[in-house]
Amino acid sequence: MQARPYPSKAGKRLWLSRDEQAKLLSLVEDEYPRRRIALDLALHGLRSDEVRNVEPRHFERLDDQGKWRLTVPNGKTGTRDTPVSRSLRERVKYLKSAARMRADEPVIDVSTRSLRDWIVEAREQLADDLDDDRWHDLGMHDLRRTWATDTFYSLAFEGVPIAEELTMAWGGWAMTDSGRETFRRNYLGPVPDHVTSRAMAHLNFR
């Protein structure tokens, strides 16, 4: 976990490692399937309001290699498409079948207050279980922040020339000077541990 203070308010912004993301999701793996999907959607870059508006019909196969995308309707900057994992799509498909949901029915039919309650409950348990007080600062927006940083640095390390543009498009930041400033100042954080680890293979350490 990497933490940085907010520029103008109390508390800290957090960026979770991939291992910490897995710990968070595993906490609600079996008992709370809707919570698992909601947190996973946030870790795919969705805002809280966008998490609440996802419907099963919004998932679309991207190719015949098992890749999927999600159409995020009525986002802050309009409708957009963003890539999602196959496992997330499968969880939504299973929940739709188990709960007998309609294709146009919200998957996470709760208030934003409930989403905040879910993340508070999870972070407090993780803080206790792992004896790590940093978890107390975790909010839903930190999951979006984690996704933005992980996505950008992963693409950049692979040499994708438009890493920033893709991340901003998928995450729904306006392609303007102010949108880019918001992305860089409030979301783009420290280099993720997995990227640093891979980069170190190219260093001549003894």
Side-chain angles (χ1 to χ4, degrees), residues 118-133:
W118 289 354
I119 196 71
V120 167
E121 184 176 332
R123 79 187 186 195
E124 297 308 307
Q125 184 172 337
L126 285 167
D128 290 342
D129 292 348
L130 302 175
D131 194 25
D132 187 342
D133 288 341

Side-chain angles (χ1 to χ4, degrees), residues 1 12 14-16 24 116 119-120 122-124 126 133-143 146:
M1 183 184 299
K12 293 183 178 180
L14 301 181
W15 291 266
L16 302 183
L24 175 65
R116 289 195 295 270
I119 196 71
V120 167
R123 79 187 186 195
E124 297 308 307
L126 285 167
D133 288 341
R134 294 177 300 175
W135 284 98
H136 292 305
D137 286 313
L138 184 70
M140 285 293 289
H141 224 59
D142 290 309
L143 306 189
T146 293

Side-chain angles (χ1 to χ4, degrees), residues 61-84:
R61 186 184 295 275
L62 188 60
D63 59 21
D64 57 1
Q65 304 300 314
K67 295 183 178 65
W68 290 82
R69 67 181 166 205
L70 169 66
T71 297
V72 181
N74 305 317
K76 192 173 182 179
T77 55
T79 298
R80 71 180 189 276
D81 293 329
T82 189
V84 294

Side-chain angles (χ1 to χ4, degrees), residues 32-39 95 99 101 106-109 118:
Y32 303 108
R34 272 193 171 83
R35 295 191 191 189
R36 172 63 163 77
I37 292 171
L39 297 181
L95 181 63
M101 297 170 55
V107 177
I108 312 298
D109 189 17
W118 289 354

Side-chain angles (χ1 to χ4, degrees), residues 54-60 68-70 84 88-89 92:
V54 169
E55 301 169 3
R57 62 178 175 154
H58 293 153
F59 291 83
E60 181 182 6
W68 290 82
R69 67 181 166 205
L70 169 66
V84 294
L88 172 58
R89 187 265 173 181
V92 171

